[in-house]
């Protein structure tokens, strides 16, 4: 019976889903939004297949996670590659129809301006209606912007001036009351009027506005209503015959143009070279120093007879337990050149003129970043090394001691090689992570200080933060497509690192088997 | 113990070990202690702060809450909490399928998962931004500058790694218990729901906490997607609070930092050993 109940439930659910899908697809098709239809149909078909087919059974478990992973990881990767072949940037981000919509909703007042007085009726919290006095008589407009039938309101007008004394018992609102309570909602109202629309022009008037541009679908052109100038649709925007373009435009496929620009334009490839070099140095030094410190502390604590070692371990991992962004902002405060703790201490020791331009000088900014990153990551290295040290069998040391090997010899011949077997893959992982460790760079220095006037790439920019600047803090608008090119390049680098990591792990496994 | 003879050299070496350990502990703790002291200090700049303030006050805490800390904390807990719990639920399902079922494409799927989780989502940040921009025209509630949009991005980014991690845990749970349930007539889903999940509950909790902490600290994606003070998560809010104001908002920032770190510190130390073993299994912090 249980099985039967389930089957019925399934059939009911799928029928509802199917009905909904058909309804939605039909609505979209009627609205002319054909692109949505295949998604709806395929989605519904997919869900049905998932629930009906026995072979799809394992997929029922995988589908929810897979869906989100596809939408937010795989699709962005593919889309990012696509963007790198387009001219997505400020002015080229909307679709063509959206760009037309933006252009045709631009407005100009008529000359001379046409204005109609209006009166709002209601209370402080409630707006009943707006009455606009036009030459053709009063126009009753709801707060949502709909023109209403005047007959549906009780609107006595004793003096016959066309402005009702009250509407449905609500008195006219004073300007101040109107401004304080209803202005934002009324501001959004557009009432179709002759060739344009009416909208709030002043606190007392609605004005008549006409569109600045008109779209002519037959010529696929935008026409300036004042001058009659025609802007024809080009590849990525509307352009007049004299070459004057209209913003916004839309993106288009540009092939390898961005990559060629990257190689040809010294602005980009010089910046790339400088940034890449520091990016590698940064990741290598961060990993090396934090590993050395972490390993040293692990060796220090790896003594079963050491009292308080549990306490030490707990206290030493505090930097690991504090959210990194908070620690980074604290360290940034310590390193602040003007009001920071370190310079205050230096000044109190060495006199008022002492001080180091920690975050304002390329070398010291790099130093400060690596220092902070070592503080952040040594606990991880320590924990990893402690685990690995404890896994090394004690007999090896006894045998070495019998052979007369000293502590240093024992470390270099036994501890370190065995440690590296398990730790090396994690070091590569850490390198890979720090290579793209945007958070610390951005929160500490935002890639600064400036090294070259006119170049956005600062002394501590890594590839990811430089791409981020191009995309979202661009000096020449937002260069999404160039940022996407950098994304693709970083992608290749990460793939290479991961490839090395995988093969190396296997190599190390073989080494350990040989021992 | 007491009767064991101790040589002077060994005592000296012990002493040295403790000395070094305490130096390291001081290095680890001093920023945190310093900021804790600052947060109670009536003066608002770095220069005048000391670890134990002279006239302790709560003024900084009140001030930072006035600037929006409460809203940011709520936003962060909402976004990180929802994304982490849904992620754990979805990943448990997926990991169970990878661990127990044999189906075509299983190996390829596992390989794909492993590859996907080596690439940080932030590399395709521009694409994510533009996708949300376009989604916003159809469904404004998951477009740019929405918490649900951010949740979906986080959710997608966490699936690969968490599924991979959880599959390993499920592999270590013996199959005999489920098999007896299956013999008794349970469906595979019932076996999963009533036998495996209860056994895996502590592990799921740990993965939830790790994911929560990770998302709690996330800055880059949140900063791109969220605009406006009311929408900020803690990382974006605190950054914008302090970035250009080290000379006049240090005390308020310290109070915010103490509150922001306290919850995570408690979570971390309550589940210390499990979290550490989970993290070391393959994740680097963040």
């Amino acid at each position: 019976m249980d099985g039967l109940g389930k089957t019925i439930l399934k059939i009911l659910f799928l029928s509802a889903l199917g009905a909904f899908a058909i309804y939605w697809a039909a609505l979209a098709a009627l609205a002319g939004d054909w692109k949505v239809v295949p998604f709806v149909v395929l989605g519904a078909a997919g869900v049905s297949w998932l629930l009906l087919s026995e072979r799809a059974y394992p997929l029922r478990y995988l589908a929810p996670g897979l869906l989100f992973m596809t939408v937010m990881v795989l699709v962005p990767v593919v889309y990012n590659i696509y963007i790198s072949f387009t001219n997505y940037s400020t002015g080229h981000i909307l679709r063509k129809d959206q760009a037309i919509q933006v252009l045709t909703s631009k407005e100009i007042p008529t000359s001379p301006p046409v204005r109609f007085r209006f009166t709002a009726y209601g209370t402080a919290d409630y707006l009943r209606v707006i009455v606009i006095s036009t030459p053709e008589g009063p126009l009753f407009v709801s707060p949502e912007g709909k023109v209403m039938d005047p007959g549906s309101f009780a609107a006595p007008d004793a003096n016959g001036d066309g402005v009702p004394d009250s509407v449905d018992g609500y008195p006219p609102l004073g300007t101040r009351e109107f401004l304080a309570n209803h202005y934002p909602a009324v501001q959004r109202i557009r009432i179709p009027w002759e060739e344009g629309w009416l909208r709030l022009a002043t606190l007392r008037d609605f004005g008549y506005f006409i569109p600045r541009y008109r779209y002519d679908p037959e010529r696929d052109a935008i026409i300036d209503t004042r001058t009659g100038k025609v802007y024809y649709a080009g590849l990525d925007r509307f352009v007049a015959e004299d070459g004057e373009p209209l913003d916004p435009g839309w993106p288009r496929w540009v092939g390898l143009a961005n990559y060629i620009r990257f190689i040809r334009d010294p602005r980009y490839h010089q910046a790339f070279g400088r940034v890449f070099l520091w990016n590698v140095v940064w990741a290598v030094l961060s990993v090396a120093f934090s590993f050395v410190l972490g390993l040293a502390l692990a060796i220090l604590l790896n003594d079963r007879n050491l009292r308080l070692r549990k306490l030490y371990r707990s206290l030493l991992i505090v930097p690991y337990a504090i959210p990194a962004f908070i620690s980074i902002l604290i360290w940034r405060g310590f390193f602040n050149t003007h009001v920071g703790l370190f310079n205050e201490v230096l000044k109190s020791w060495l006199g008022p003129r002492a001080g180091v331009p920690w975050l304002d000088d390329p070398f010291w900014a790099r130093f400060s970043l690596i220092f902070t990153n070592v503080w952040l990551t040594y606990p991880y290295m320590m924990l990893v090394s402690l685990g690995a040290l404890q896994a090394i069998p004690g007999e090896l040391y006894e045998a070495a001691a019998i052979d007369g090997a000293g502590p240093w010899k024992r470390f270099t011949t036994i501890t370190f090689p065995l440690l590296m077997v398990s730790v090396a893959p994690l070091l590569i992982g850490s390198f890979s992570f720090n290579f793209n460790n945007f958070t610390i760079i951005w929160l500490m220095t935002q890639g600064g200080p400036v090294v070259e006037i006119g170049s956005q790439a600062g002394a501590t920019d890594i590839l990811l933060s430089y791409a981020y600047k191009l995309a979202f803090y661009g000096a020449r608008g937002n260069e999404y497509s160039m940022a996407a090119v950098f994304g693709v390049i970083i992608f290749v680098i990460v793939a290479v690192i991961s490839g090395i990591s995988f093969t190396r792990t296997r190599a190390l496994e073989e080494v350990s088997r040989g021992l | 113990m007491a009767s064991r003879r101790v040589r002077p050299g060994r005592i000296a070496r012990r002493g040295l070990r403790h000395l070094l350990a305490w130096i390291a502990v001081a290095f680890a703790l001093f920023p945190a202690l310093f900021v804790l002291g600052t947060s109670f200090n009536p003066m608002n700049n770095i220069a005048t702060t000391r670890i134990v303030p002279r006239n302790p006050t709560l003024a900084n805490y009140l001030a930072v809450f006035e600037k929006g800390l409460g809203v940011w904390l709520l936003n962060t807990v909402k976004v990180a909490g929802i994304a982490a719990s849904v992620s754990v639920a979805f990943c448990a399902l997926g990991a169970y399928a990878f661990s127990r079922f044999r189906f075509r494409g299983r190996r390829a799927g596992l390989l794909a998962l492993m590859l996907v989780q080596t690439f940080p989502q932030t590399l395709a940040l521009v694409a994510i931004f533009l996708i949300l921009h376009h989604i916003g025209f159809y469904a404004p509630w998951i477009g740019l500058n929405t918490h649900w949009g951010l949740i979906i991005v986080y959710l997608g980014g966490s699936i690969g790694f968490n599924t991979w991690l959880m599959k390993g845990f499920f592999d270590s749970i013996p199959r005999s218990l489920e098999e007896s349930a299956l013999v008794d007539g349970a469906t595979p889903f019932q076996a999963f729901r009533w036998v495996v999940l209860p056994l895996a509950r502590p592990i799921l909790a740990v993965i939830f906490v790790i994911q929560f902490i990770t998302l709690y600290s996330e800055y880059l994606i949140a900063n791109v997607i969220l605009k406006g003070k009311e929408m900020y998560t803690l990382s974006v809010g605190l950054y914008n609070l302090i970035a250009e104001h080290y000379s006049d908002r240090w005390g308020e920032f310290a109070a915010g930092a103490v509150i922001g770190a306290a919850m995570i510190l408690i979570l971390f130390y309550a589940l210390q050993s499990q979290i550490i073993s989970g993290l070391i299994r393959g994740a680097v912090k963040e």
Side-chain angles (χ1 to χ4, degrees):
Chain A
M1 276 303 109
D2 201 29
L4 183 66
K6 241 177 163 176
T7 314
I8 292 172
L9 207 68
K10 219 185 249 182
I11 291 170
L12 281 176
F13 174 75
L14 286 177
S15 318
L17 181 81
F20 178 69
I22 292 168
Y23 170 73
W24 193 6
L27 268 189
L30 284 176
D33 212 347
W34 286 101
K35 262 190 261 171
V36 178
V37 177
F39 285 106
V40 174
V41 172
L42 281 180
V47 172
S48 315
W49 177 69
L50 211 57
L51 288 182
L52 291 177
S53 163
E54 273 311 308
R55 276 179 54 206
Y57 186 78
L59 206 57
R60 286 178 212 170
Y61 291 76
L62 297 171
L66 221 53
L67 176 72
F68 283 95
M69 197 171 89
T70 309
V71 173
M72 281 304 157
V73 182
L74 296 179
V75 171
V77 167
V78 175
Y79 192 41
N80 186 81
I81 297 171
Y82 166 74
I83 292 167
S84 73
F85 292 105
T86 68
N87 66 344
Y88 257 105
S89 54
T90 300
H92 297 284
I93 179 170
L94 300 170
R95 287 195 321 258
K96 186 178 175 184
D97 58 310
Q98 291 166 338
I100 291 171
Q101 211 207 328
V102 168
L103 286 169
T104 50
S105 58
K106 283 190 180 167
E107 57 189 14
I108 43 170
T110 52
S111 71
V114 177
R115 298 264 162 90
F116 304 128
R117 272 291 146 95
F118 77 93
T119 318
Y121 296 85
T123 63
D125 330 303
Y126 176 67
L127 186 61
R128 177 70 187 134
V129 74
I130 298 162
V131 178
I132 304 170
S133 316
T134 71
E136 282 109 82
L139 195 64
F140 285 69
V141 180
S142 77
E144 292 80 39
K146 268 207 207 105
V147 177
M148 315 289 280
D149 173 18
S152 64
F153 297 96
D157 183 9
N159 57 5
D161 62 353
V163 180
D165 306 326
S166 69
V167 174
D168 291 350
Y170 289 101
L173 285 166
T175 307
R176 189 179 297 173
E177 267 176 304
F178 171 75
L179 184 66
N181 303 304
H182 306 299
Y183 179 71
V186 174
Q187 207 186 14
R188 284 194 288 271
I189 293 179
R190 298 283 182 280
I191 307 151
W193 187 260
E194 293 176 11
E195 279 157 39
W197 49 81
L198 299 178
R199 73 160 170 84
L200 201 62
T202 72
L203 280 179
R204 291 160 179 280
D205 305 288
F206 265 65
Y208 172 39
F209 290 83
I210 50 171
R212 167 89 197 265
Y213 299 105
R214 199 162 54 74
Y215 177 63
D216 180 354
E218 262 167 42
R219 284 190 287 174
D220 194 12
I222 292 277
I223 297 140
D224 190 321
T225 52
R226 273 189 309 188
T227 59
K229 195 168 182 178
V230 183
Y231 298 81
Y232 291 99
L235 286 170
D236 54 10
R237 58 172 120 179
F238 290 102
V239 188
E241 261 160 5
D242 62 6
E244 191 198 336
L246 272 186
D247 268 336
W250 55 91
R252 74 176 164 105
W253 181 265
V254 296
L256 287 169
N258 292 316
Y259 292 88
I260 292 168
R261 200 151 56 101
F262 171 76
I263 294 166
R264 286 244 181 95
D265 190 338
R267 226 175 42 214
Y268 295 113
H269 69 239
Q270 278 174 7
F272 175 86
R274 196 151 39 79
V275 168
F276 179 73
L277 192 68
W278 156 246
N279 203 155
V280 172
V281 170
W282 149 254
V284 168
L285 292 185
S286 289
V287 173
F289 286 135
S290 57
F291 177 58
V292 168
L293 180 60
L295 178 59
L297 290 173
I299 291 169
L300 189 71
L301 294 188
N302 190 33
D303 175 356
R304 278 173 208 289
N305 298 321
L306 186 72
R307 272 189 217 168
L308 300 176
R309 64 195 281 265
K310 285 247 162 70
L311 176 73
Y312 289 146
R313 181 173 170 276
S314 294
L315 291 178
L316 284 173
I317 57 175
V318 161
Y320 199 38
I322 298 175
F325 75 93
I326 290 177
S327 315
I328 295 166
L329 290 174
I330 292 171
W331 281 101
R332 181 173 169 185
F334 289 167
F335 280 119
N336 189 300
T337 306
H338 306 291
V339 294
L341 175 71
F342 294 152
N343 276 355
E344 290 300 326
V345 171
L346 286 178
K347 273 179 201 157
S348 70
W349 286 349
L350 304 171
R353 275 205 257 143
V356 175
W358 297 109
L359 298 177
D360 302 326
D361 169 83
F363 171 79
W364 289 110
R366 289 168 179 165
F367 171 89
S368 310
L369 270 172
I370 292 173
F371 186 90
T372 306
N373 206 21
V374 169
W375 185 85
L376 282 171
T377 30
Y378 85 82
Y380 172 74
M381 298 296 184
M382 183 184 87
L383 291 169
V384 166
S385 305
L386 261 179
L389 284 177
Q390 278 158 8
I392 296 175
E395 301 92 71
L396 286 174
Y397 291 107
E398 283 162 27
I402 292 168
D403 287 349
W408 179 247
K409 183 109 203 244
R410 269 176 289 175
F411 177 78
T412 52
T413 55
I414 301 173
T415 313
F416 196 70
L418 282 174
L419 192 77
M420 286 313 276
V421 174
S422 51
V423 174
L426 299 173
L427 292 186
I428 298 175
S430 180
F431 174 85
S432 189
F433 171 77
N434 278 308
F435 192 84
N436 290 312
N437 193 342
F438 174 94
T439 308
I440 182 168
I441 302 278
W442 196 259
L443 297 191
M444 277 289 265
T445 63
Q446 285 179 288
V450 174
V451 275
E452 202 184 309
I453 305 296
S455 169
Q456 264 193 295
T460 57
D461 258 319
I462 56 174
L463 291 175
L464 192 55
S465 68
Y466 181 49
Y468 182 77
K469 277 183 181 172
L470 286 174
F472 300 106
Y473 293 82
R476 295 169 202 82
N478 297 339
E479 298 180 79
Y480 297 117
S481 54
M482 198 37 106
V485 170
F486 275 82
V488 170
I489 294 171
I490 305 171
F491 218 80
V492 172
I493 295 170
V494 173
V496 169
I497 299 171
S498 307
I500 294 171
S501 155
F502 289 145
T503 53
R504 193 145 164 77
T505 326
R506 214 164 294 145
L508 282 163
E509 271 167 17
E510 279 158 21
V511 169
S512 68
R513 237 174 271 134
L515 267 167
Chain B
M1 280 288 183
S3 63
R4 204 172 70 186
R5 282 183 299 137
V6 189
R7 280 170 296 167
R10 177 171 272 181
I11 292 176
R13 229 180 295 149
R14 275 280 147 74
L16 186 67
R17 269 177 186 254
H18 283 284
L19 181 68
L20 287 175
W22 280 112
I23 292 174
V25 166
F27 173 62
L29 291 188
F30 113 88
L33 292 179
F34 192 89
V35 164
L36 187 65
T38 305
S39 71
F40 295 108
N41 192 308
M43 304 300 284
N44 215 356
N45 61 27
I46 304 183
T48 54
T49 50
R50 48 189 66 236
I51 285 190
V52 183
R54 278 215 191 99
N55 308 302
T57 156
L58 286 175
N60 288 325
Y61 287 86
L62 298 176
V64 78
F65 268 103
E66 229 159 69
K67 293 226 161 71
L69 185 77
V71 179
W72 302 336
L73 269 175
L74 275 181
N75 289 346
T76 311
V77 170
K78 171 186 158 192
V79 169
I82 294 176
S85 31
V86 177
S87 169
V88 166
F90 285 1
C91 292
L93 273 173
Y96 182 72
F98 275 126
S99 171
R100 293 299 197 265
F101 302 149
R102 292 294 172 269
F103 51 92
R104 217 151 43 117
R106 177 174 170 275
R107 282 183 63 89
L110 278 172
L111 193 68
L113 268 189
M114 196 170 78
L115 286 178
V116 163
Q117 58 109 0
T118 56
F119 292 95
Q121 210 183 4
T122 44
L123 293 190
L125 191 65
V126 171
I128 290 173
F129 173 82
L130 290 176
I131 287 173
L132 286 190
H133 168 83
H134 289 305
I135 287 181
F137 289 107
Y138 296 99
W141 52 280
I142 47 171
L144 286 177
N145 198 20
T146 62
H147 289 149
W148 286 104
L150 186 61
I151 288 171
I152 289 176
V153 176
Y154 282 162
L155 188 55
S158 65
I159 297 278
F161 177 69
N162 283 351
T163 308
W164 186 249
L165 193 62
M166 252 185 251
K167 184 207 163 258
F169 285 124
F170 283 151
D171 283 345
S172 68
I173 296 175
R175 284 160 176 250
S176 48
L177 289 165
E178 285 159 84
E179 270 157 11
S180 59
L182 291 172
V183 168
D184 288 348
T187 64
F189 184 78
Q190 284 168 332
F192 167 67
R193 174 70 188 83
W194 303 110
V195 180
V196 179
L197 265 196
L199 285 173
R201 199 178 293 148
I203 291 153
L204 298 188
V206 169
I207 295 182
F208 169 81
V209 170
I210 292 176
Q211 192 60 47
F212 181 84
I213 292 177
T214 308
L215 296 181
Y216 187 95
S217 309
E218 205 284 329
Y219 169 81
L220 176 52
I221 299 175
N223 185 43
V224 169
I225 291 177
L226 303 178
K227 299 280 167 247
K229 238 177 139 186
E230 293 298 304
M231 298 300 288
Y232 285 167
T233 55
L234 188 66
S235 58
V236 182
L238 270 188
Y239 175 77
N240 288 337
L241 175 83
I242 187 68
E244 303 304 326
H245 292 276
Y246 275 99
S247 54
D248 59 328
R249 287 189 190 161
W250 179 245
E252 294 163 20
F253 164 74
V258 168
I259 292 176
M263 178 163 61
I264 299 298
L265 276 170
I266 292 167
L267 267 179
F268 187 91
Y269 279 98
L271 293 167
Q272 191 182 344
S273 52
Q274 294 96 314
I275 289 183
I276 288 172
S277 70
L279 283 169
I280 285 179
R281 233 162 251 261
V284 185
K285 192 176 181 191
E286 280 162 347

